[in-house]
């Protein structure tokens, strides 16, 4: 199993450009998440999808949109990139089985720079 | 989570010594806790977890201790190795219908050869 995969690994954008970050998991997990991590800081939740067909805002959703394409894939879109969105973006997934603790497993990250 | 800016707390230990990394969590209703390890340039990696009905759990070379009275979590690493050098995050799950983990700001572990 590859686990959680993310593309691209690196991206440089100009202010105002748009792009979509892709995430896929092969663990048959129900829930998927997008986080951002700024230098020297912990992870902040942008959006999450508890199950296929649902999405909800996290702590820092402004400037982002998401799509849960199917059970495997969860994409994050920046419609008009801003320098404040320069960060490392991590996708995660978890099984969210009823009655079981919910461990999230992370992808390798996308390093995004907005000039 | 709260930010601590660019400077993470750092723990420096000699190779072979034991390491103890501490974490204060925020919500008394949290019922599940996880420790993650993040190496430079990589995503967080699951190390060990513990439910709130336990106060200790052991893994391979790692032990997590939970003190619910003071809302404190610790990660003990035995015989610390150079490969243990990383940033360590604790995370808590409130245990309601929320799917969210709340992450601490992290501690950097440096292992001196």
């Amino acid at each position: 199993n590859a686990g959680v995969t993310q593309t691209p690994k690196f991206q440089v954008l100009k202010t105002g450009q748009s792009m979509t970050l892709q995430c896929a998991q092969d663990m048959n997990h129900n829930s998927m998440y997008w986080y951002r991590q700024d230098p020297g800081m912990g992870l902040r939740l942008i959006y999450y999808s508890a199950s296929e067909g649902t999405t909800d805002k996290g702590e820092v959703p402004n400037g982002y949109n998401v799509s849960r394409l199917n059970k495997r894939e969860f994409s994050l879109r920046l419609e008009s990139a801003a320098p404040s969105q320069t960060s490392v973006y991590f996708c995660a997934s978890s099984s969210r089985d009823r009655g079981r603790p919910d461990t999230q497993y992370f992808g390798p990250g996308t390093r995004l720079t907005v000039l | 989570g709260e930010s601590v800016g660019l400077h993470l707390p750092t723990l420096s230990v000699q190779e072979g010594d034991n390491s103890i990394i501490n974490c204060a969590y925020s919500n008394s209703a949290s019922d599940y806790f996880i420790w993650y390890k993040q190496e430079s340039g990589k995503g967080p990696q699951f190390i060990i977890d513990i439910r709130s009905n336990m106060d200790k759990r052991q893994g391979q070379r790692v032990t997590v201790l939970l003190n619910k009275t003071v809302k404190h979590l610790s990660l003990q690493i035995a015989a610390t190795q150079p490969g243990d050098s990383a940033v360590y995050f604790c995370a808590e799950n409130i245990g309601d219908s929320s799917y969210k983990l709340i992450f601490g700001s992290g501690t950097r572990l440096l292992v001196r050869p």
Side-chain angles (χ1 to χ4, degrees):
Chain A
N1 286 354
V4 180
T5 56
Q6 293 182 237
T7 56
K9 286 187 168 54
F10 301 93
Q11 184 71 51
V12 179
L13 294 177
K14 295 181 180 178
T15 297
Q17 287 185 315
S18 62
M19 79 159 296
T20 300
L21 282 64
Q22 307 287 352
C23 173
Q25 51 91 9
D26 62 2
M27 296 177 281
N28 200 35
H29 282 169
N30 293 311
S31 301
M32 298 185 73
Y33 313 81
W34 276 105
Y35 292 88
R36 62 178 287 173
Q37 184 177 39
D38 298 305
M41 296 175 67
L43 294 147
R44 293 187 291 170
L45 184 64
I46 304 171
Y47 270 93
Y48 65 100
S49 171
S51 60
E52 186 179 356
T54 69
T55 60
D56 284 285
K57 295 178 180 179
E59 182 184 356
V60 288
N62 291 346
Y64 305 95
N65 285 300
V66 290
S67 296
R68 183 76 183 266
L69 304 169
N70 47 55
K71 191 171 185 179
R72 290 188 63 249
E73 297 172 291
F74 189 39
S75 63
L76 178 72
R77 182 158 179 85
L78 287 69
E79 290 291 351
S80 179
S84 62
Q85 294 177 304
T86 293
S87 190
V88 181
Y89 291 85
F90 290 101
C91 178
S93 70
S94 65
S95 61
R96 201 64 188 177
D97 292 332
R98 188 180 295 276
R100 293 176 60 84
D102 192 46
T103 302
Q104 293 182 22
Y105 295 91
F106 287 81
T110 294
R111 283 144 187 83
L112 175 67
T113 300
V114 183
L115 302 175
Chain B
E2 295 181 359
S3 75
V4 292
L6 295 175
H7 302 291
L8 286 172
T10 299
L11 174 66
S12 180
V13 300
Q14 191 74 36
E15 181 178 356
D17 287 352
N18 297 333
S19 303
I20 300 176
I21 300 171
N22 297 304
C23 177
Y25 63 92
S26 57
N27 197 313
S28 57
S30 294
D31 66 351
Y32 178 59
F33 306 88
I34 309 172
W35 279 101
Y36 286 94
K37 172 186 179 183
Q38 187 176 25
E39 295 174 280
S40 181
K42 297 184 178 180
Q45 176 187 3
F46 171 86
I47 302 173
I48 191 168
D49 58 2
I50 188 168
R51 296 197 197 206
S52 59
N53 61 354
M54 304 171 68
D55 53 19
K56 181 179 180 179
R57 188 165 188 220
Q58 287 184 292
Q60 186 176 14
R61 277 201 311 118
V62 295
T63 301
V64 55
L65 299 177
L66 176 62
N67 185 329
K68 293 182 285 295
T69 302
V70 295
K71 293 190 287 187
H72 183 268
L73 197 65
S74 69
L75 176 71
Q76 300 178 1
I77 304 174
T80 312
Q81 301 169 359
D84 295 327
S85 292
V87 176
Y88 290 80
F89 294 95
C90 65
E92 59 182 302
N93 181 273
I94 295 176
D96 56 5
S97 59
S98 166
Y99 290 84
K100 303 173 194 176
L101 287 178
I102 301 172
F103 284 84
S105 52
T107 297
R108 187 181 307 279
L109 176 65
L110 295 176
V111 182
R112 303 188 304 272

